[in-house]
Amino acid sequence: MSDSLNSFLFSTPEMTQVFSPDERLRAMMRFEWALTCALEKHGLAEPGSGGILEALLRADFVNREALERDARNAGNIAIPFVRQLTESIKARNERASRTVHLGATSQDVLDSALVLQMRAATELLQSAIRHLDQALVKLVAAHRETLLTGRTWLQPGPPTTLGLKLAGTLAALRRHRERLSAAVERALVLQLGGAVGTLAALGARGEGISAEVARILGLPEPELPWHTQRDRLVEIVQVLAALTGSLAKFARDTALLMQTELSEALESGDHRGGSSTMPHKHNPVACAAVLAIHTRMPGLVATMLYAMPQEHERGLGLWQAEWETVPEAFRLTAAALTYSIEVAERLKIDSTRMQHNFEALHGLTLSEAISAALAPKMGRSAAHELLRLATKRAADENRYLGEVLKELPELTAHLTAGEIDKFMDPRAYLGSTYRFIARVLGEANADN
Amino acid sequence: MSDSLNSFLFSTPEMTQVFSPDERLRAMMRFEWALTCALEKHGLAEPGSGGILEALLRADFVNREALERDARNAGNIAIPFVRQLTESIKARNERASRTVHLGATSQDVLDSALVLQMRAATELLQSAIRHLDQALVKLVAAHRETLLTGRTWLQPGPPTTLGLKLAGTLAALRRHRERLSAAVERALVLQLGGAVGTLAALGARGEGISAEVARILGLPEPELPWHTQRDRLVEIVQVLAALTGSLAKFARDTALLMQTELSEALESGDHRGGSSTMPHKHNPVACAAVLAIHTRMPGLVATMLYAMPQEHERGLGLWQAEWETVPEAFRLTAAALTYSIEVAERLKIDSTRMQHNFEALHGLTLSEAISAALAPKMGRSAAHELLRLATKRAADENRYLGEVLKELPELTAHLTAGEIDKFMDPRAYLGSTYRFIARVLGEANADN
Amino acid sequence: MSDSLNSFLFSTPEMTQVFSPDERLRAMMRFEWALTCALEKHGLAEPGSGGILEALLRADFVNREALERDARNAGNIAIPFVRQLTESIKARNERASRTVHLGATSQDVLDSALVLQMRAATELLQSAIRHLDQALVKLVAAHRETLLTGRTWLQPGPPTTLGLKLAGTLAALRRHRERLSAAVERALVLQLGGAVGTLAALGARGEGISAEVARILGLPEPELPWHTQRDRLVEIVQVLAALTGSLAKFARDTALLMQTELSEALESGDHRGGSSTMPHKHNPVACAAVLAIHTRMPGLVATMLYAMPQEHERGLGLWQAEWETVPEAFRLTAAALTYSIEVAERLKIDSTRMQHNFEALHGLTLSEAISAALAPKMGRSAAHELLRLATKRAADENRYLGEVLKELPELTAHLTAGEIDKFMDPRAYLGSTYRFIARVLGEANADN
Amino acid sequence: MSDSLNSFLFSTPEMTQVFSPDERLRAMMRFEWALTCALEKHGLAEPGSGGILEALLRADFVNREALERDARNAGNIAIPFVRQLTESIKARNERASRTVHLGATSQDVLDSALVLQMRAATELLQSAIRHLDQALVKLVAAHRETLLTGRTWLQPGPPTTLGLKLAGTLAALRRHRERLSAAVERALVLQLGGAVGTLAALGARGEGISAEVARILGLPEPELPWHTQRDRLVEIVQVLAALTGSLAKFARDTALLMQTELSEALESGDHRGGSSTMPHKHNPVACAAVLAIHTRMPGLVATMLYAMPQEHERGLGLWQAEWETVPEAFRLTAAALTYSIEVAERLKIDSTRMQHNFEALHGLTLSEAISAALAPKMGRSAAHELLRLATKRAADENRYLGEVLKELPELTAHLTAGEIDKFMDPRAYLGSTYRFIARVLGEANADN
């Protein structure tokens, strides 16, 4: 919202533009123009009418002040918009003005304009997703073997690699891309139904006109008008919200790795998040923004879901609840993607520190490796108990687990010192890590 | 949002102004001015510094473009704002510029500015609530005895009066007023804690300076800074959401009464909701707007609640999620109140139609009256069964229930024709209606 | 919830069973059994171990009281479950007990068990959707030409047919079926990753064992474990919520048509919603339940979305937030579908009353037909103004619009009395209604 | 939900009991008993009827299976409950059975029963809040001076004390206690209005009977029945959600301090969160549960808010949406309080580690102290720049900031080595910390 001093933080300039008042009026104008062209083709509008409307596609004729004033009484902006458009046409050609908006209802122009805006908006998002995908692919490939502490419940566990960690986000992103494509295919359809969704005012020519409007706008036709069947819009907003959820997981992990006590990663960038007094401090500015956005999206989804039971042929209030909600979802998602791209492209990894943090645990988190090896020999429970005592001793005495283990006869009965050393090597305890990464990267031999 | 063509429908001009970028900068400026005055008083700022900042209270010096650009890297607008302010002061008086913002953190100025804006905003809301209260009091008093069908599950029941129906809304409104007062009292407090909420940069003078800033701004001091304790803001937004919920109940009922098949009420107004083709049609434009607003508020509340667990001394992302959410809640609520006032002040009641609709039920909904009278004599179940058959017969034969009842010997054994007639009089079956109304209106004899 | 006296109203017996404690334990048991079989096949478990676990598939060995007590300290039920299982096996065969759960983490068994339960649950839903589809197809076909008032903003407009109204719901239902299939295909995958998602405890055999577990359980393998990538579950719950939104639209419309003042439809059934005192009263009991369910679903979606940023390799708290949320979404959706089937199968339509209610409007809502016909001749605005006056006069004088129109010279200059009569015939003003219905029903000639 | 294997993790046994089916039936029974007593007193029920109902207060007579079956058709459990009750009374005394439930509607008994349950439930909560308050008071007092790193954006800043950190939670808890008291005072009122809220079936005796029922149940009377004015219930659930939000902040901070890399705190307890293989590992089990609960509460609040616009005298579907939502909010909140008490009572603090972690920053986070001291002398900006370079040098050379500073002539021109040492002492940079703590603890000299 440009009336909030903070709104620029929660959108991108391009997405703000797509849903700007100017673009909205132009999208409405394109619908009216396409309708008039179709009416003309089917003999209902004066020949040449389409051309006259074409000259107004920039919607410069609109008196915004009058629009707002009249919209308050009308309940929407379409009614005064059509009135102003009709007057503008009339001043040029009275006969062409006669059939402006003929056959359509306010919701037809408003919904179709929204669909046109969403088409431009999803193109922006899809481009950003591709961009982020590429950045993540690079990171995953580059850090395939960068070892760091695996963490569960915010507590250290066995090792993993940064590549695997990020591969999870990459794979989720690709599922969201699939979902977005499917949602877009279902949602980006024409709205044209007239007062109650029957196209009655166009008589027998309704179908032909509808098909022609769809052709001109490049939008598929739905089986029937969807004035009070809003599942398509709901699906779009839900996909956007889930996408920001996955981005938030990436942001949260990054911010946690950036804690000075860990110092494993850094969201860098000139002047980014720098504090004037503490040079070692780098606030995770982009991560914070993504987390903020994620916190706002579920509320938008809830609004869309609650707004579904729109009454009869056109609803009362619930439709209006969508008007600012859908654009907000697109703006927030665009910003979240842009911030995520920044993080992914500029992420500084301190692999030395990652290694150091892992080693500072003195091998304790590798106890599972020994335990798993012993399980078939002495039972998982007995092995656990043995390791529990050994790790406690190692921790109490501040020694490496491997050393302690080599002193335990119950254990050396089963494993040689060399075997113990091998189990204490984190690189030897990565299991299927590389295979999982290869699968996500779609590498040729991934599943051989 | 002014970048949405529809945003004016979801705010009032006054509330839009309160949360405009200009007012936000001015509120931030007032905080910095008050802080400098306090520093000056306590000997930490150059004498005369306060006066120099006072000259900038309109915040005209701000270069908005630079602010936005720098805020993106800084993560908030306070950092570039303070930088620009310092430069502006420096150009006037270098020594005065030395202590701008001294002791405060970004969140101090942003939170305190929000509190100042909320103070102006709640005054607008409280005034609107009083206005609506008056309009409802008039309606309740005027329609104390206006009889209409009571409806449950959208099905007709015994009679009630319009006064009682609206008294429920009035009583709820008053509870919300109480809640808002309590919330405001808790929430409108100064934020001043410095980097981690200890006021350490002000040394031993922290307390005195904090007290002085609070005095200048006219805000109470909290026991301690609340950078990551956000329950106060949450409470405010929750009260606003619950208030719009009660307004939505009023709007929904009104819209239902406006259904042409009922035609019991009309949201009137010049040109309001009129359709160009159907003079009998009056779209409930204001009711629809209130319902739309109500549909959007719970999402804002959810955002505020989810944003509560802000980490440590100042959080990461969750705070940012509040920035646009709190103003949006105020804007939407202000609009909902204004629409509700319009509805209440212009509501046209068709009491003849209300009476007619009730009578069209042929007394069937008064069967409960007879049934209740018979219960102590023959048992509630037996009475019900008797009435069930009688009402079925009345309905099948399209006759008045009273007539049918007088033909039933089981019934006339207990009630005379005169008694039956009395039970069939809806005005005699209003129970405690008038007493309930009197209580809500606070009439002297209400509880005598 | 069975500890709520009302929970049976918000589930179906079958769905309650799928998510019962018994079935959950059995699903967990199936995972452990499959894992042991796979370990055995790959030489990590004692030969015959799989068979020993197979005998425990009913999970009768579980001491529920001990499970609850221990789970409180462990933080989940998997840890005590595995302990009890190990003890049970040990009592049978010590060697087989050694490798129970080897290589898996608690979340592996809990997530995979949930996936198995969701598979059964979605089968129930898909069957119910097919059932509802059939019921709606019948209604649409039967009421293809059943004329009723089209309603917008709860105000009457031009006519539509009940078939078209319901075709909208049918088309939405089919989109939801598509979405559910896609979501299920993405979501119903094995979870097996070990402590930090690397399968490290299984060494080089991880892949083979994972593939074998997947084969035994009949679940596809994901590219990599998804312990903290929860988009799949989110998608499922989102689809369910949107589905209930469309069902709520059907329920709301039905309940509105059931208003006694309209009496166009009736949710019937023996004793259904009958009031003991008012035979004409039929509470829309099933519709109310669907609306209640719809009101609860967005909160579940919001929870799932907020729970997405799960930290690192396994999260802290957000995962736990899903545990009761996913089953609740399935239970509620199952109930909503069942109620909707009841409504669709038992819906009594009063087509005479529909016709009567339309005619009671005296043709006013057909003014659009005349207006549309005049537009090309005199301009849409002038036509509207003419009709506005005519309808006002018809309403004021309580006459049919057609009669009034025939007296207007401005109009008779363009249209003959015969033409006016034709425009006043609602059946002639249905536009593309039948074509739209044919498209939804997939009739052969739908798009010819 | 007891049909979920996990439900015990999200409630307490006491709260589960309060909202159990048995207690619900007993609460309903108490309402019916009180009503009969009042009817008897006012001459509408057979003398002795009250006593007869009193004998059934345990509600043992209810056939639960029949109740469920019949409730499905009736739409709620009150109708079959009253039927079963009437039959039970009839078997004892036919005359007493005649007036069972006379004058009341289903919603009267269900709402009043809920109010009675909420009264017991809020007593449990208030007791738990007091308990937690005491535990926090002890912690705050004990750790008033326990120094640890202040953290903003998850990055280190100047020092604070654990006492101050926890004082914030304590102060928030007390605000919630106030809110809960106010909400309870408004919400715990009788519901008794009859079919449409007029008490018509009780004629002129409605008021007296209502007053008597209120007296017997110990519940205040509202000004008028609140069948479709639900703000009271909404407020309660909102307060509970905000309370869990503050508890989640406490849990999140604790879990972050428990990260092994910090190791500043430990959620202890026998066997609590222990991993069988890693003795140093202690999963923050209770913290995780609180965070899970917090994630679920906003959805419940949203449901309550969306359910507000209940139609006319009694609503359609929205009321039903509350039935499981209100108890769930109480159960979750009770569990969150209990977990928080566990955390607060068993929290192990490693103050040595806190000190160590702070010192590991080499004084960098105290640069603000120097900078604030220099600001009045050389300007805040110039001071910052000086410190920025100094801290960078200290970090690069891995030296203490104080040492580096003493080498800078620009700085030693203003500050002596002794002064620098003083500023580098974290205990001297706690500002108003102790005063803030004293205020929260309400210590006598807090505001002197």
Side-chain angles (χ1 to χ4, degrees), chain A residues 315-394:
Chain A
L316 177 82
L318 298 182
W319 173 44
Q320 289 85 342
E322 301 169 357
W323 292 351
E324 296 197 306
T325 304
V326 173
E328 190 74 348
F330 274 98
R331 279 190 293 261
L332 289 171
T333 305
L337 279 165
T338 298
Y339 285 117
S340 299
I341 291 168
E342 285 178 20
V343 174
E345 289 191 336
R346 302 179 186 172
L347 195 65
K348 284 197 190 160
I349 298 303
D350 189 337
S351 58
T352 308
R353 186 65 188 257
M354 285 178 170
Q355 182 87 19
H356 169 82
N357 286 343
F358 185 81
E359 283 165 6
L361 300 166
H362 285 190
L364 297 180
T365 63
L366 288 164
S367 59
E368 192 201 45
I370 304 282
S371 171
L374 292 179
K377 298 173 181 169
M378 59 196 295
R380 212 174 55 98
S381 310
H384 279 179
E385 180 59 13
L386 181 61
L387 268 297
R388 193 182 69 78
L389 294 171
T391 49
K392 183 164 175 8
R393 191 162 134 202

Side-chain angles (χ1 to χ4, degrees), chain D residues 47-83:
Chain D
S49 301
I52 292 169
L53 269 79
E54 193 166 6
L56 296 178
L57 278 174
R58 288 199 55 78
D60 295 331
F61 63 89
V62 177
N63 176 335
R64 292 272 292 279
E65 205 176 319
L67 190 79
E68 292 206 5
R69 187 192 57 227
D70 296 348
R72 238 184 105 76
N73 274 315
N76 69 56
I77 56 172
I79 293 173
F81 170 79
V82 170
R83 198 179 304 134

Side-chain angles (χ1 to χ4, degrees), chain D residues 199-252:
Chain D
L199 283 179
L202 300 178
R205 282 169 286 197
E207 263 186 289
I209 289 167
S210 175
E212 179 67 8
V213 174
R215 194 194 61 74
I216 296 173
L217 296 176
L219 293 173
E221 277 188 282
E223 310 101 312
L224 77 177
W226 44 283
H227 293 140
T228 49
Q229 296 290 349
R230 314 300 285 178
D231 55 289
R232 293 172 168 97
L233 296 181
V234 171
E235 184 183 8
I236 291 269
V237 175
Q238 285 186 327
V239 171
L240 301 187
L243 167 57
T244 65
S246 293
L247 300 178
K249 189 266 186 287
F250 174 45
R252 177 157 256 326

Side-chain angles (χ1 to χ4, degrees), chain A residues 151-152 156 259-260 279 281 306 391, chain D residues 152 156 260-261 279 281 306 391:
Chain A
R151 294 178 174 97
T152 68
Q259 291 173 99
T260 306
K281 190 172 182 187
Y306 281 116
T391 49
Chain D
T152 68
T260 306
E261 291 87 351
K281 191 174 180 186
Y306 281 116
T391 48

Side-chain angles (χ1 to χ4, degrees), chain A residues 25-26 28-29 32 52-53 55-64 66-67 80-89 92 100:
Chain A
L25 291 173
R26 282 177 205 142
M28 290 166 70
M29 192 56 222
E32 297 293 351
I52 291 168
L53 269 81
L56 297 177
L57 278 176
R58 288 196 56 78
D60 296 330
F61 63 88
V62 176
N63 177 333
R64 292 273 290 279
L67 189 81
F81 170 80
V82 169
R83 199 179 303 135
Q84 291 191 24
L85 172 61
T86 306
E87 290 308 310
S88 290
I89 302 292
R92 283 163 176 77
V100 169

Side-chain angles (χ1 to χ4, degrees), chain B residues 170-182:
Chain B
L170 177 56
L173 185 70
R174 289 173 175 179
R175 288 190 294 275
H176 291 303
R177 191 162 55 183
E178 271 182 39
R179 290 177 188 118
L180 184 57
S181 293

Side-chain angles (χ1 to χ4, degrees), chain C residues 11 20 70 75 85 132 154-155 159 189 191 205 207 213 220 243 246 276 301 321 333 377 379 390 423 428:
Chain C
S11 184
S20 67
D70 297 348
L85 172 61
L132 179 57
L154 291 183
Q155 301 289 309
V189 295
Q191 177 71 286
R205 283 169 286 197
E207 264 186 289
V213 174
L243 167 58
S246 293
S276 49
V301 170
T333 305
K377 297 172 181 170
F423 283 119

